[in-house]
Amino acid sequence: MMTCVPMPSPLPVRNGVGPTRLRIPASGPWATVAEFVVARFDHLDPADLHRRFDDGDIVGVDGRPVGRTAVLGEHRFVWYHRDLPAEEPVPFHEEILHVDDDLIVIDKPHFLPTTPGGRYLRESALVRLRLRLDNPDITPIHRLDRATAGLVMFSARPATRGAYQSLFERREVAKTYEAVSALPRDPDAPAPAGHTWPVTYRNHIEATRGRLRVVVDDTREPNSETLIDLLGRGVSESGRAVLHTLLRPRTGRMHQLRVHLAALGIRILGDRWYPDLLPEAPDDHALPLQLLARELEFTDPLSGAARRFVTARTLSEAPTTP
């Protein structure tokens, strides 16, 4: 398998946030790089963008400032630091379960993104960790959705990052999740959609850049697989009749667990994306997505030691009575 080597940035991490890279077209209706940038960010003040060019805030691959007169085609990429907007704090905090010279493992809360994106920059697990541990080299080894809680691994230094990333590429990390769904209408059915427990569910999932949700194509060979077993059923503390499941994904497709449970007719409680995309709404802290990354288990590629991490979090809608 060919591994894509990321392009190194000529700018350092600042305030825990890495620089942004922008691809510049080789040709087009713009005479200069600055003209393209002004057109690309037409919602921003052109005078302020020109000031950033004049101040040397926008640089090329060699780290040298790109002037506002640089002609189109002279630079393939430029880098810059985003102006950090005021962010509403995410009122939940990550817990560090493990930290050494190479590896960091955290217990991420619901609603906190793993990495900066969209309206969340400083309010992300990555930026919080970089500032908290005073280490700009921290990088996620894998990711959880903002809505999902539980275990996330981070690399502490570039020299050993690839060793841990390769564990996921080779599927040598055993991942276990929990989910809570509304109890199906037929609670006496042996398992959802005519299956029996445990259920091995497979389908073909495709993620497309720019789309919120993945696309399922049942005409193609499955590329995703999850083993789903029953932990219990009963009534949650809030009075909901629920189904509590244990999930062991054998592949790592985007939104895989959410898609598989929705396809079985047991949509995860709090899921606003699958099976139907619901209208955008503020976060409901009373009902976070009932999906939890519970365990990570692997052989450490550096020491050869067996590693196992377990979340201290629980799902608020798990059954409390049978």
Side-chain angles (χ1 to χ4, degrees):
M1 177 184 295
M2 182 177 294
T3 301
C4 179
V5 178
M7 183 180 295
S9 169
L11 292 176
V13 170
R14 188 169 72 186
N15 297 321
V17 180
T20 297
R21 186 184 72 184
L22 178 65
R23 180 187 291 271
I24 306 298
S27 61
W30 315 278
T32 66
V33 173
E35 283 186 18
F36 166 75
V37 171
V38 168
R40 172 68 175 77
F41 299 105
D42 58 0
H43 59 290
L44 300 178
D45 181 5
D48 187 56
L49 291 174
H50 285 139
R51 176 194 58 77
R52 297 198 66 182
F53 276 96
D54 294 340
D55 290 347
D57 293 341
I58 299 173
V59 306
V61 66
D62 57 1
R64 296 179 181 178
V66 176
R68 74 158 80 183
T69 59
V71 298
L72 202 68
E74 188 175 331
H75 296 274
R76 186 181 175 196
F77 296 97
V78 296
W79 278 261
Y80 60 93
H81 287 109
R82 291 181 59 176
D83 290 331
L84 299 183
E87 291 182 58
E88 183 176 350
V90 175
F92 308 103
H93 299 281
E94 71 287 351
E95 299 293 333
I96 296 178
L97 301 184
H98 172 86
V99 60
D100 61 32
D101 290 342
D102 303 290
L103 181 66
I104 302 163
V105 182
I106 70 164
D107 207 349
K108 186 184 82 68
H110 294 288
F111 306 111
L112 182 69
T114 300
T115 57
R119 66 182 189 273
Y120 298 97
L121 293 174
R122 286 168 294 192
E123 289 300 297
S124 64
L126 174 60
V127 173
R128 285 183 177 185
L129 280 177
R130 283 174 172 173
L131 295 176
R132 183 173 173 181
L133 299 178
D134 192 24
N135 181 357
D137 290 330
I138 295 173
T139 303
I141 298 170
H142 66 119
R143 289 168 173 80
L144 290 183
D145 294 341
R146 187 175 79 87
T148 304
L151 303 176
V152 189
M153 291 167 49
F154 292 80
S155 163
R157 63 190 184 109
T160 56
R161 183 177 303 152
Y164 289 100
Q165 288 174 329
S166 65
L167 291 176
F168 286 88
E169 294 170 0
R170 297 193 301 264
R171 299 180 184 175
E172 294 177 357
V173 179
K175 297 176 285 185
T176 304
Y177 291 73
E178 291 180 33
V180 176
S181 308
L183 194 66
R185 292 184 179 180
D186 182 5
D188 296 323
H195 297 270
T196 56
W197 299 110
V199 177
T200 298
Y201 193 84
R202 305 177 183 91
N203 65 3
H204 190 96
I205 294 174
E206 286 292 336
T208 304
R209 182 181 293 274
R211 297 187 64 166
L212 289 176
R213 305 199 306 163
V214 299
V215 175
V216 174
D217 187 347
D218 291 326
T219 67
R220 300 179 65 182
E221 188 72 18
N223 63 358
S224 64
E225 179 178 321
T226 306
L227 178 65
I228 307 165
D229 208 351
L230 180 67
L231 282 175
R233 62 183 89 198
V235 179
S236 69
E237 190 172 315
S238 68
R240 291 181 172 91
V242 296
L243 193 71
H244 191 191
T245 50
L246 186 73
L247 315 171
R248 292 190 173 94
R250 291 172 175 163
T251 54
R253 299 291 172 179
M254 178 178 173
H255 298 167
Q256 176 176 317
L257 303 180
R258 298 163 73 167
V259 168
H260 285 182
L261 291 188
L264 290 169
I266 48 175
R267 176 184 71 89
I268 300 174
L269 282 173
D271 193 346
R272 302 186 61 83
W273 287 16
Y274 300 97
D276 301 310
L277 182 61
L278 302 180
E280 187 173 356
D283 289 338
D284 182 359
H285 293 167
L287 183 61
L289 179 72
Q290 295 296 288
L291 181 60
L292 176 66
R294 175 169 126 171
E295 296 179 28
L296 290 172
E297 194 167 0
F298 57 93
T299 299
D300 191 284
L302 303 182
S303 67
R307 298 269 205 175
R308 180 172 178 262
F309 299 99
V310 181
T311 181
R313 301 181 188 275
T314 58
L315 293 172
S316 59
E317 293 299 318
T320 56
T321 59

PDB file of all heavy atoms in Angstrom, residues 62-88:
ATOM      1  N   ASP A  62       8.738  27.714   0.143  1.00  0.00           N
ATOM      2  CA  ASP A  62      10.044  27.914   0.759  1.00  0.00           C
ATOM      3  C   ASP A  62       9.979  28.804   1.996  1.00  0.00           C
ATOM      4  O   ASP A  62      11.010  29.111   2.606  1.00  0.00           O
ATOM      5  CB  ASP A  62      11.019  28.523  -0.254  1.00  0.00           C
ATOM      6  CG  ASP A  62      10.509  29.842  -0.838  1.00  0.00           C
ATOM      7  OD1 ASP A  62       9.410  30.304  -0.436  1.00  0.00           O
ATOM      8  OD2 ASP A  62      11.207  30.405  -1.707  1.00  0.00           O
ATOM      9  N   GLY A  63       8.760  29.214   2.389  1.00  0.00           N
ATOM     10  CA  GLY A  63       8.601  30.044   3.577  1.00  0.00           C
ATOM     11  C   GLY A  63       8.801  31.524   3.341  1.00  0.00           C
ATOM     12  O   GLY A  63       8.651  32.326   4.263  1.00  0.00           O
ATOM     13  N   ARG A  64       9.130  31.907   2.094  1.00  0.00           N
ATOM     14  CA  ARG A  64       9.330  33.317   1.792  1.00  0.00           C
ATOM     15  C   ARG A  64       7.987  33.993   1.504  1.00  0.00           C
ATOM     16  O   ARG A  64       7.105  33.379   0.899  1.00  0.00           O
ATOM     17  CB  ARG A  64      10.257  33.478   0.601  1.00  0.00           C
ATOM     18  CG  ARG A  64      11.672  32.962   0.856  1.00  0.00           C
ATOM     19  CD  ARG A  64      12.539  33.137  -0.380  1.00  0.00           C
ATOM     20  NE  ARG A  64      13.890  32.619  -0.162  1.00  0.00           N
ATOM     21  CZ  ARG A  64      14.831  32.616  -1.076  1.00  0.00           C
ATOM     22  NH1 ARG A  64      14.566  33.106  -2.303  1.00  0.00           N
ATOM     23  NH2 ARG A  64      16.027  32.130  -0.801  1.00  0.00           N
ATOM     24  N   PRO A  65       7.841  35.256   1.888  1.00  0.00           N
ATOM     25  CA  PRO A  65       6.576  35.956   1.647  1.00  0.00           C
ATOM     26  C   PRO A  65       6.247  36.030   0.155  1.00  0.00           C
ATOM     27  O   PRO A  65       7.132  36.191  -0.687  1.00  0.00           O
ATOM     28  CB  PRO A  65       6.825  37.348   2.225  1.00  0.00           C
ATOM     29  CG  PRO A  65       7.899  37.155   3.247  1.00  0.00           C
ATOM     30  CD  PRO A  65       8.782  36.063   2.697  1.00  0.00           C
ATOM     31  N   VAL A  66       4.970  35.884  -0.137  1.00  0.00           N
ATOM     32  CA  VAL A  66       4.459  36.043  -1.501  1.00  0.00           C
ATOM     33  C   VAL A  66       3.895  37.460  -1.612  1.00  0.00           C
ATOM     34  O   VAL A  66       2.931  37.798  -0.931  1.00  0.00           O
ATOM     35  CB  VAL A  66       3.369  35.003  -1.815  1.00  0.00           C
ATOM     36  CG1 VAL A  66       2.777  35.247  -3.205  1.00  0.00           C
ATOM     37  CG2 VAL A  66       3.940  33.588  -1.705  1.00  0.00           C
ATOM     38  N   GLY A  67       4.498  38.283  -2.431  1.00  0.00           N
ATOM     39  CA  GLY A  67       4.043  39.667  -2.569  1.00  0.00           C
ATOM     40  C   GLY A  67       2.764  39.761  -3.374  1.00  0.00           C
ATOM     41  O   GLY A  67       2.412  38.842  -4.131  1.00  0.00           O
ATOM     42  N   ARG A  68       2.099  40.893  -3.265  1.00  0.00           N
ATOM     43  CA  ARG A  68       0.821  41.042  -3.977  1.00  0.00           C
ATOM     44  C   ARG A  68       1.008  41.123  -5.495  1.00  0.00           C
ATOM     45  O   ARG A  68       0.036  40.983  -6.237  1.00  0.00           O
ATOM     46  CB  ARG A  68       0.062  42.261  -3.463  1.00  0.00           C
ATOM     47  CG  ARG A  68       0.615  43.585  -3.899  1.00  0.00           C
ATOM     48  CD  ARG A  68      -0.448  44.676  -3.820  1.00  0.00           C
ATOM     49  NE  ARG A  68      -0.632  45.172  -2.467  1.00  0.00           N
ATOM     50  CZ  ARG A  68      -1.548  46.090  -2.158  1.00  0.00           C
ATOM     51  NH1 ARG A  68      -2.350  46.586  -3.103  1.00  0.00           N
ATOM     52  NH2 ARG A  68      -1.663  46.525  -0.919  1.00  0.00           N
ATOM     53  N   THR A  69       2.251  41.305  -5.961  1.00  0.00           N
ATOM     54  CA  THR A  69       2.484  41.371  -7.414  1.00  0.00           C
ATOM     55  C   THR A  69       2.933  40.026  -7.991  1.00  0.00           C
ATOM     56  O   THR A  69       3.190  39.937  -9.200  1.00  0.00           O
ATOM     57  CB  THR A  69       3.550  42.431  -7.733  1.00  0.00           C
ATOM     58  OG1 THR A  69       4.773  42.088  -7.054  1.00  0.00           O
ATOM     59  CG2 THR A  69       3.086  43.823  -7.292  1.00  0.00           C
ATOM     60  N   ALA A  70       3.039  38.984  -7.161  1.00  0.00           N
ATOM     61  CA  ALA A  70       3.467  37.672  -7.658  1.00  0.00           C
ATOM     62  C   ALA A  70       2.474  37.178  -8.705  1.00  0.00           C
ATOM     63  O   ALA A  70       1.269  37.134  -8.475  1.00  0.00           O
ATOM     64  CB  ALA A  70       3.551  36.679  -6.496  1.00  0.00           C
ATOM     65  N   VAL A  71       2.984  36.788  -9.874  1.00  0.00           N
ATOM     66  CA  VAL A  71       2.099  36.436 -10.987  1.00  0.00           C
ATOM     67  C   VAL A  71       1.534  35.042 -10.785  1.00  0.00           C
ATOM     68  O   VAL A  71       2.142  34.178 -10.133  1.00  0.00           O
ATOM     69  CB  VAL A  71       2.838  36.527 -12.339  1.00  0.00           C
ATOM     70  CG1 VAL A  71       3.310  37.943 -12.589  1.00  0.00           C
ATOM     71  CG2 VAL A  71       4.002  35.542 -12.382  1.00  0.00           C
ATOM     72  N   LEU A  72       0.358  34.826 -11.356  1.00  0.00           N
ATOM     73  CA  LEU A  72      -0.285  33.524 -11.299  1.00  0.00           C
ATOM     74  C   LEU A  72       0.608  32.491 -11.993  1.00  0.00           C
ATOM     75  O   LEU A  72       1.173  32.763 -13.054  1.00  0.00           O
ATOM     76  CB  LEU A  72      -1.648  33.585 -11.993  1.00  0.00           C
ATOM     77  CG  LEU A  72      -2.662  32.512 -11.581  1.00  0.00           C
ATOM     78  CD1 LEU A  72      -3.101  32.749 -10.149  1.00  0.00           C
ATOM     79  CD2 LEU A  72      -3.855  32.513 -12.517  1.00  0.00           C
ATOM     80  N   GLY A  73       0.731  31.328 -11.394  1.00  0.00           N
ATOM     81  CA  GLY A  73       1.603  30.292 -11.929  1.00  0.00           C
ATOM     82  C   GLY A  73       2.961  30.270 -11.276  1.00  0.00           C
ATOM     83  O   GLY A  73       3.713  29.302 -11.440  1.00  0.00           O
ATOM     84  N   GLU A  74       3.300  31.309 -10.523  1.00  0.00           N
ATOM     85  CA  GLU A  74       4.604  31.361  -9.856  1.00  0.00           C
ATOM     86  C   GLU A  74       4.626  30.479  -8.608  1.00  0.00           C
ATOM     87  O   GLU A  74       5.685  30.002  -8.202  1.00  0.00           O
ATOM     88  CB  GLU A  74       4.911  32.821  -9.482  1.00  0.00           C
ATOM     89  CG  GLU A  74       6.315  33.048  -8.958  1.00  0.00           C
ATOM     90  CD  GLU A  74       6.597  34.523  -8.712  1.00  0.00           C
ATOM     91  OE1 GLU A  74       5.996  35.365  -9.413  1.00  0.00           O
ATOM     92  OE2 GLU A  74       7.411  34.821  -7.824  1.00  0.00           O
ATOM     93  N   HIS A  75       3.430  30.266  -8.007  1.00  0.00           N
ATOM     94  CA  HIS A  75       3.323  29.451  -6.793  1.00  0.00           C
ATOM     95  C   HIS A  75       2.191  28.447  -6.968  1.00  0.00           C
ATOM     96  O   HIS A  75       1.088  28.820  -7.383  1.00  0.00           O
ATOM     97  CB  HIS A  75       3.041  30.325  -5.568  1.00  0.00           C
ATOM     98  CG  HIS A  75       4.147  31.274  -5.243  1.00  0.00           C
ATOM     99  ND1 HIS A  75       5.217  30.933  -4.461  1.00  0.00           N
ATOM    100  CD2 HIS A  75       4.342  32.569  -5.632  1.00  0.00           C
ATOM    101  CE1 HIS A  75       6.036  31.977  -4.355  1.00  0.00           C
ATOM    102  NE2 HIS A  75       5.523  32.983  -5.065  1.00  0.00           N
ATOM    103  N   ARG A  76       2.472  27.193  -6.621  1.00  0.00           N
ATOM    104  CA  ARG A  76       1.428  26.162  -6.674  1.00  0.00           C
ATOM    105  C   ARG A  76       0.585  26.175  -5.409  1.00  0.00           C
ATOM    106  O   ARG A  76      -0.612  25.893  -5.437  1.00  0.00           O
ATOM    107  CB  ARG A  76       2.079  24.788  -6.850  1.00  0.00           C
ATOM    108  CG  ARG A  76       1.072  23.681  -7.069  1.00  0.00           C
ATOM    109  CD  ARG A  76       1.754  22.336  -7.215  1.00  0.00           C
ATOM    110  NE  ARG A  76       0.798  21.260  -7.309  1.00  0.00           N
ATOM    111  CZ  ARG A  76       1.101  19.972  -7.147  1.00  0.00           C
ATOM    112  NH1 ARG A  76       2.343  19.615  -6.875  1.00  0.00           N
ATOM    113  NH2 ARG A  76       0.175  19.038  -7.248  1.00  0.00           N
ATOM    114  N   PHE A  77       1.225  26.481  -4.268  1.00  0.00           N
ATOM    115  CA  PHE A  77       0.526  26.562  -2.986  1.00  0.00           C
ATOM    116  C   PHE A  77       1.025  27.787  -2.234  1.00  0.00           C
ATOM    117  O   PHE A  77       2.173  28.209  -2.405  1.00  0.00           O
ATOM    118  CB  PHE A  77       0.793  25.326  -2.114  1.00  0.00           C
ATOM    119  CG  PHE A  77       0.271  24.040  -2.679  1.00  0.00           C
ATOM    120  CD1 PHE A  77       1.109  23.180  -3.383  1.00  0.00           C
ATOM    121  CD2 PHE A  77      -1.056  23.672  -2.510  1.00  0.00           C
ATOM    122  CE1 PHE A  77       0.648  21.990  -3.910  1.00  0.00           C
ATOM    123  CE2 PHE A  77      -1.536  22.482  -3.023  1.00  0.00           C
ATOM    124  CZ  PHE A  77      -0.693  21.646  -3.726  1.00  0.00           C
ATOM    125  N   VAL A  78       0.165  28.323  -1.378  1.00  0.00           N
ATOM    126  CA  VAL A  78       0.586  29.318  -0.396  1.00  0.00           C
ATOM    127  C   VAL A  78       0.067  28.871   0.969  1.00  0.00           C
ATOM    128  O   VAL A  78      -0.901  28.117   1.061  1.00  0.00           O
ATOM    129  CB  VAL A  78       0.080  30.742  -0.730  1.00  0.00           C
ATOM    130  CG1 VAL A  78       0.669  31.242  -2.026  1.00  0.00           C
ATOM    131  CG2 VAL A  78      -1.449  30.807  -0.758  1.00  0.00           C
ATOM    132  N   TRP A  79       0.743  29.323   2.004  1.00  0.00           N
ATOM    133  CA  TRP A  79       0.354  29.019   3.381  1.00  0.00           C
ATOM    134  C   TRP A  79       0.111  30.327   4.137  1.00  0.00           C
ATOM    135  O   TRP A  79       0.740  31.353   3.859  1.00  0.00           O
ATOM    136  CB  TRP A  79       1.470  28.263   4.103  1.00  0.00           C
ATOM    137  CG  TRP A  79       1.519  26.797   3.844  1.00  0.00           C
ATOM    138  CD1 TRP A  79       1.031  25.796   4.632  1.00  0.00           C
ATOM    139  CD2 TRP A  79       2.139  26.128   2.736  1.00  0.00           C
ATOM    140  NE1 TRP A  79       1.282  24.567   4.083  1.00  0.00           N
ATOM    141  CE2 TRP A  79       1.968  24.741   2.908  1.00  0.00           C
ATOM    142  CE3 TRP A  79       2.807  26.593   1.591  1.00  0.00           C
ATOM    143  CZ2 TRP A  79       2.441  23.808   2.010  1.00  0.00           C
ATOM    144  CZ3 TRP A  79       3.281  25.660   0.681  1.00  0.00           C
ATOM    145  CH2 TRP A  79       3.103  24.295   0.891  1.00  0.00           C
ATOM    146  N   TYR A  80      -0.772  30.238   5.116  1.00  0.00           N
ATOM    147  CA  TYR A  80      -1.053  31.391   5.968  1.00  0.00           C
ATOM    148  C   TYR A  80      -1.699  30.902   7.251  1.00  0.00           C
ATOM    149  O   TYR A  80      -2.196  29.768   7.338  1.00  0.00           O
ATOM    150  CB  TYR A  80      -1.993  32.380   5.255  1.00  0.00           C
ATOM    151  CG  TYR A  80      -3.326  31.790   4.869  1.00  0.00           C
ATOM    152  CD1 TYR A  80      -4.432  31.885   5.711  1.00  0.00           C
ATOM    153  CD2 TYR A  80      -3.492  31.123   3.652  1.00  0.00           C
ATOM    154  CE1 TYR A  80      -5.656  31.327   5.366  1.00  0.00           C
ATOM    155  CE2 TYR A  80      -4.701  30.566   3.297  1.00  0.00           C
ATOM    156  CZ  TYR A  80      -5.787  30.666   4.161  1.00  0.00           C
ATOM    157  OH  TYR A  80      -6.991  30.099   3.817  1.00  0.00           O
ATOM    158  N   HIS A  81      -1.684  31.760   8.262  1.00  0.00           N
ATOM    159  CA  HIS A  81      -2.393  31.480   9.508  1.00  0.00           C
ATOM    160  C   HIS A  81      -3.770  32.133   9.465  1.00  0.00           C
ATOM    161  O   HIS A  81      -3.891  33.309   9.111  1.00  0.00           O
ATOM    162  CB  HIS A  81      -1.613  32.014  10.722  1.00  0.00           C
ATOM    163  CG  HIS A  81      -0.400  31.207  11.059  1.00  0.00           C
ATOM    164  ND1 HIS A  81       0.877  31.673  10.851  1.00  0.00           N
ATOM    165  CD2 HIS A  81      -0.266  29.965  11.586  1.00  0.00           C
ATOM    166  CE1 HIS A  81       1.751  30.764  11.240  1.00  0.00           C
ATOM    167  NE2 HIS A  81       1.080  29.709  11.690  1.00  0.00           N
ATOM    168  N   ARG A  82      -4.771  31.360   9.785  1.00  0.00           N
ATOM    169  CA  ARG A  82      -6.124  31.911   9.833  1.00  0.00           C
ATOM    170  C   ARG A  82      -6.260  32.879  11.000  1.00  0.00           C
ATOM    171  O   ARG A  82      -5.673  32.672  12.073  1.00  0.00           O
ATOM    172  CB  ARG A  82      -7.159  30.792  10.004  1.00  0.00           C
ATOM    173  CG  ARG A  82      -7.310  29.898   8.798  1.00  0.00           C
ATOM    174  CD  ARG A  82      -8.362  28.833   9.015  1.00  0.00           C
ATOM    175  NE  ARG A  82      -9.674  29.391   9.307  1.00  0.00           N
ATOM    176  CZ  ARG A  82     -10.771  28.667   9.461  1.00  0.00           C
ATOM    177  NH1 ARG A  82     -10.710  27.352   9.372  1.00  0.00           N
ATOM    178  NH2 ARG A  82     -11.924  29.244   9.708  1.00  0.00           N
ATOM    179  N   ASP A  83      -7.041  33.935  10.796  1.00  0.00           N
ATOM    180  CA  ASP A  83      -7.418  34.781  11.922  1.00  0.00           C
ATOM    181  C   ASP A  83      -8.407  33.998  12.772  1.00  0.00           C
ATOM    182  O   ASP A  83      -9.418  33.493  12.259  1.00  0.00           O
ATOM    183  CB  ASP A  83      -8.067  36.074  11.427  1.00  0.00           C
ATOM    184  CG  ASP A  83      -7.061  37.003  10.743  1.00  0.00           C
ATOM    185  OD1 ASP A  83      -5.877  36.944  11.117  1.00  0.00           O
ATOM    186  OD2 ASP A  83      -7.472  37.758   9.850  1.00  0.00           O
ATOM    187  N   LEU A  84      -8.124  33.862  14.045  1.00  0.00           N
ATOM    188  CA  LEU A  84      -8.960  33.042  14.910  1.00  0.00           C
ATOM    189  C   LEU A  84     -10.190  33.827  15.360  1.00  0.00           C
ATOM    190  O   LEU A  84     -10.062  34.866  16.015  1.00  0.00           O
ATOM    191  CB  LEU A  84      -8.170  32.569  16.125  1.00  0.00           C
ATOM    192  CG  LEU A  84      -6.944  31.705  15.812  1.00  0.00           C
ATOM    193  CD1 LEU A  84      -6.298  31.233  17.109  1.00  0.00           C
ATOM    194  CD2 LEU A  84      -7.314  30.516  14.949  1.00  0.00           C
ATOM    195  N   PRO A  85     -11.375  33.351  15.023  1.00  0.00           N
ATOM    196  CA  PRO A  85     -12.587  34.049  15.444  1.00  0.00           C
ATOM    197  C   PRO A  85     -12.893  33.766  16.910  1.00  0.00           C
ATOM    198  O   PRO A  85     -12.324  32.842  17.521  1.00  0.00           O
ATOM    199  CB  PRO A  85     -13.666  33.430  14.545  1.00  0.00           C
ATOM    200  CG  PRO A  85     -13.166  32.043  14.310  1.00  0.00           C
ATOM    201  CD  PRO A  85     -11.666  32.138  14.250  1.00  0.00           C
ATOM    202  N   ALA A  86     -13.790  34.551  17.459  1.00  0.00           N
ATOM    203  CA  ALA A  86     -14.270  34.264  18.807  1.00  0.00           C
ATOM    204  C   ALA A  86     -15.079  32.975  18.746  1.00  0.00           C
ATOM    205  O   ALA A  86     -15.936  32.801  17.880  1.00  0.00           O
ATOM    206  CB  ALA A  86     -15.128  35.411  19.316  1.00  0.00           C
ATOM    207  N   GLU A  87     -14.777  32.028  19.636  1.00  0.00           N
ATOM    208  CA  GLU A  87     -15.477  30.743  19.652  1.00  0.00           C
ATOM    209  C   GLU A  87     -16.191  30.556  20.975  1.00  0.00           C
ATOM    210  O   GLU A  87     -15.662  30.882  22.036  1.00  0.00           O
ATOM    211  CB  GLU A  87     -14.490  29.593  19.476  1.00  0.00           C
ATOM    212  CG  GLU A  87     -13.873  29.500  18.108  1.00  0.00           C
ATOM    213  CD  GLU A  87     -12.939  28.297  18.009  1.00  0.00           C
ATOM    214  OE1 GLU A  87     -13.403  27.155  18.238  1.00  0.00           O
ATOM    215  OE2 GLU A  87     -11.747  28.504  17.709  1.00  0.00           O
ATOM    216  N   GLU A  88     -17.386  29.991  20.881  1.00  0.00           N
ATOM    217  CA  GLU A  88     -18.091  29.626  22.103  1.00  0.00           C
ATOM    218  C   GLU A  88     -17.439  28.368  22.669  1.00  0.00           C
ATOM    219  O   GLU A  88     -17.319  27.355  21.969  1.00  0.00           O
ATOM    220  CB  GLU A  88     -19.562  29.364  21.805  1.00  0.00           C
ATOM    221  CG  GLU A  88     -20.380  29.040  23.047  1.00  0.00           C
ATOM    222  CD  GLU A  88     -21.853  28.879  22.744  1.00  0.00           C
ATOM    223  OE1 GLU A  88     -22.271  29.212  21.611  1.00  0.00           O
ATOM    224  OE2 GLU A  88     -22.580  28.399  23.627  1.00  0.00           O
TER     225      GLU A  88
END
